[in-house]
Amino acid sequence: MGFFKTYFAKLERFKNERTAFYFFEAALSSCNRWGYLCGLSILSPDYKVVNFRLIYLTLFNIIFTFVNIYSVIQRTSLGMVEVFISSVTIGMTLQGLIKQYTFAKHRKEIIGITESGIALYNELQGEKIKKIARDIAFYGWMFIMHFLRYAYIGAVFLAVWAPSILSFFTGKPRELPLEIELPFIDKNTEQGYWINFLYICNAAAYELVGLQASDGFYLALLLNAFTQLENIFFELENLNRLVENETTNDPKEVREKLKQVLKLHQKYIKFIQHLNEMFLPYFSVNIVTMVYQIVVALFVIVTVNTKICAPILVFTGTSQLFIICAVGTALESKHEKLVRATYDICWYNMEITERMKVKLMLQATQQDIYIEYLFGRLNLPLFMEIYKKIYSGLMMLVNRAE
């Protein structure tokens, strides 16, 4: 207990000695370094969309897709389990391609959002909101730099090495990770097995850096949204304090403060709309492929229960899906708080013009603002609904297999 107490005390001290801007910039810089390995270091001043690493990875993903299709065709005579487990990585490749497309196409917009985030941290007024913004940025930085990084490293390592390690200890025939097999190279020979294995390791390494860079970038951008909302809450409190104080209730000062709040709210709405426009294909492909991955992996577990990679695929797919939906729910919860905060303003002490503006803002806050994908909003109710559909799809596959 003493170790953890000392560790958390140091962590708290480290947090209090920095600013929100420090953690926001550190998270972005980390994602940018990971993105460099796959040609997506979009925040670098000398970055060019057409670069060798990005072209190489795009071609690699396309070739990898055809290799996966070949692996599926090779296993059509072996049964549904082998075919399905070989086809899972096609979805992973599609995820990689859509992430490359999103960040390369919207590079300038993403840079604009990061710059607006930096400006936001510099514009914050008051110790209370600066502390709140620092806490948001710190926990976001911790999640991206530590949990996300090591979770992805662990998942990819297990998916690639677990079959080989298991066969070494059990003496069973060696299996290639995810049943991916290069054409014209016999995996049953010693040399052929290791050529296939190294090829898969290369693909897994790019999967790892791509996931860390793309998901980290997106979560870092969302820190801006949470900070914007907290800043609106803070300014609403200041507005309410001005209105409630009858002795210092200056109509001009109230008018200016209300105008500031309205601008902050409009800026937040545009931010979320812009984010949704950029990442709509990104999340649509991600959700569909992750659901397919989970269904297939569960089918393999239920029918044969001998593929070590299947539980790993279920865990990683479920975790990614849950994180995306949980972040969406957290944002919706904050937005509901904004509705209540706007409703609680002492509007009856304002002049008629300001009352109308507060009414319009209340109507605006009651409009649904959420993170979306092609078929709706990303939140925890969607997560539960998806798992219901996963169960239905799994039962249909199991009944057909019987």
Side-chain angles (χ1 to χ4, degrees):
M1 287 294 292
F3 169 78
F4 288 107
K5 189 175 180 180
T6 304
Y7 173 76
F8 285 115
K10 287 182 178 179
L11 203 60
E12 185 69 17
R13 189 163 57 251
F14 173 76
K15 180 187 75 173
N16 293 336
E17 291 172 353
R18 268 73 179 176
T19 63
F21 172 73
Y22 172 86
F23 295 115
F24 180 67
E25 189 179 42
L28 288 173
S29 297
S30 173
C31 296
N32 200 54
R33 287 193 298 272
W34 282 77
Y36 175 83
L37 300 173
C38 49
L40 288 173
S41 52
I42 57 175
L43 300 183
S44 301
D46 58 345
Y47 176 78
K48 295 181 180 178
V49 174
V50 181
N51 62 80
F52 172 77
R53 292 181 302 280
L54 185 62
I55 293 171
Y56 169 77
L57 186 55
T58 303
L59 292 174
F60 183 88
N61 275 328
I62 293 170
I63 293 169
F64 192 65
T65 303
F66 285 107
V67 170
N68 278 280
I69 294 171
Y70 171 81
S71 299
V72 170
I73 294 171
Q74 287 293 100
R75 287 171 172 78
T76 50
S77 60
L78 300 179
M80 288 176 66
V81 172
E82 285 75 11
V83 169
F84 280 150
I85 201 69
S86 297
S87 64
V88 164
T89 40
I90 296 176
M92 295 179 184
T93 308
L94 293 176
Q95 284 187 37
L97 288 170
I98 196 65
K99 288 175 179 181
Q100 286 178 275
Y101 168 80
T102 300
F103 284 94
K105 183 179 188 301
H106 298 290
R107 175 195 171 240
K108 291 181 179 179
E109 292 95 326
I110 292 171
I111 290 175
I113 289 175
T114 58
E115 288 175 349
S116 69
I118 292 169
L120 172 65
Y121 291 120
N122 291 328
E123 291 167 1
L124 295 176
Q125 300 293 325
E127 288 303 314
K128 180 181 177 181
I129 185 59
K130 287 181 180 179
K131 182 180 181 300
I132 293 171
R134 183 191 63 204
D135 290 346
I136 292 171
F138 170 74
Y139 291 117
W141 170 79
M142 283 286 291
F143 185 83
I144 294 167
M145 291 288 291
H146 297 281
F147 175 79
L148 202 65
R149 174 187 294 181
Y150 296 118
Y152 284 163
I153 289 173
V156 171
F157 177 84
L158 285 174
V160 173
W161 284 95
S164 298
I165 294 171
L166 185 67
S167 64
F168 175 79
F169 284 106
T170 60
K172 292 181 179 179
R174 288 181 301 191
E175 291 183 4
L176 287 172
L178 303 172
E179 302 292 346
I180 302 166
E181 182 180 353
L182 285 165
F184 315 117
I185 297 177
D186 188 0
K187 67 169 185 175
N188 297 315
T189 65
E190 188 70 17
Q191 184 181 10
Y193 175 84
W194 286 110
I195 290 174
N196 278 284
F197 186 81
L198 290 173
Y199 178 76
I200 295 165
C201 284
N202 187 33
Y206 278 116
E207 176 76 10
L208 173 62
V209 296
L211 279 172
Q212 171 67 19
S214 59
D215 291 356
F217 263 129
Y218 179 76
L219 291 173
L221 294 177
L222 271 185
L223 294 178
N224 196 345
F226 285 103
T227 305
Q228 284 186 55
L229 279 172
E230 289 293 346
N231 194 31
I232 295 172
F233 298 149
F234 177 72
E235 294 299 344
L236 280 172
E237 286 180 11
N238 291 336
L239 173 63
N240 213 33
R241 200 175 295 114
L242 284 173
V243 176
E244 284 182 328
N245 194 334
E246 296 181 0
T247 58
T248 59
N249 189 341
D250 182 359
K252 185 178 179 182
E253 193 174 355
V254 170
R255 193 179 306 117
E256 289 302 315
K257 180 59 69 174
L258 179 58
K259 187 185 295 184
Q260 182 185 359
V261 171
L262 291 171
K263 284 182 179 178
L264 289 173
H265 183 245
Q266 289 171 354
K267 183 179 178 182
Y268 167 72
I269 292 175
K270 288 179 181 178
F271 177 86
I272 296 297
Q273 289 174 343
H274 198 188
L275 214 60
N276 281 333
E277 287 172 6
M278 288 191 294
F279 286 90
L280 184 66
Y282 177 101
F283 281 122
S284 299
V285 172
N286 270 17
I287 296 297
V288 171
T289 53
M290 279 190 287
V291 169
Y292 177 74
Q293 171 185 322
I294 295 168
V295 170
V296 168
L298 285 172
F299 174 72
V300 172
I301 292 171
V302 169
T303 51
V304 293
N305 199 25
T306 58
K307 303 288 186 183
I308 187 65
C309 62
I312 298 169
L313 289 173
V314 173
F315 176 75
T316 54
T318 301
S319 299
Q320 281 183 273
L321 195 59
F322 179 80
I323 290 170
I324 292 170
C325 293
V327 170
T329 295
L331 200 65
E332 287 183 13
S333 177
K334 286 282 185 185
H335 190 73
E336 289 173 6
K337 182 183 173 183
L338 177 61
V339 177
R340 292 194 297 271
T342 307
Y343 182 79
D344 290 338
I345 293 175
C346 296
W347 53 268
Y348 43 81
N349 287 344
M350 293 181 176
E351 294 184 348
I352 294 176
T353 306
E354 276 62 54
R355 289 182 192 180
M356 294 301 297
K357 288 180 180 179
V358 171
K359 183 180 178 181
L360 290 172
M361 181 176 172
L362 181 60
Q363 290 175 340
T365 57
Q366 289 172 340
Q367 301 298 317
D368 286 338
I369 300 294
Y370 51 85
I371 305 300
E372 64 180 343
Y373 78 120
L374 188 61
F375 304 108
R377 60 177 68 188
L378 290 171
N379 52 24
L380 289 177
L382 171 71
F383 179 80
M384 300 303 297
E385 187 64 30
I386 284 175
Y387 250 89
K388 289 179 184 177
K389 287 182 167 54
I390 286 173
Y391 177 78
S392 301
L394 177 63
M395 289 301 100
M396 183 181 70
L397 286 174
V398 170
N399 292 333
R400 185 169 182 178
E402 292 175 352

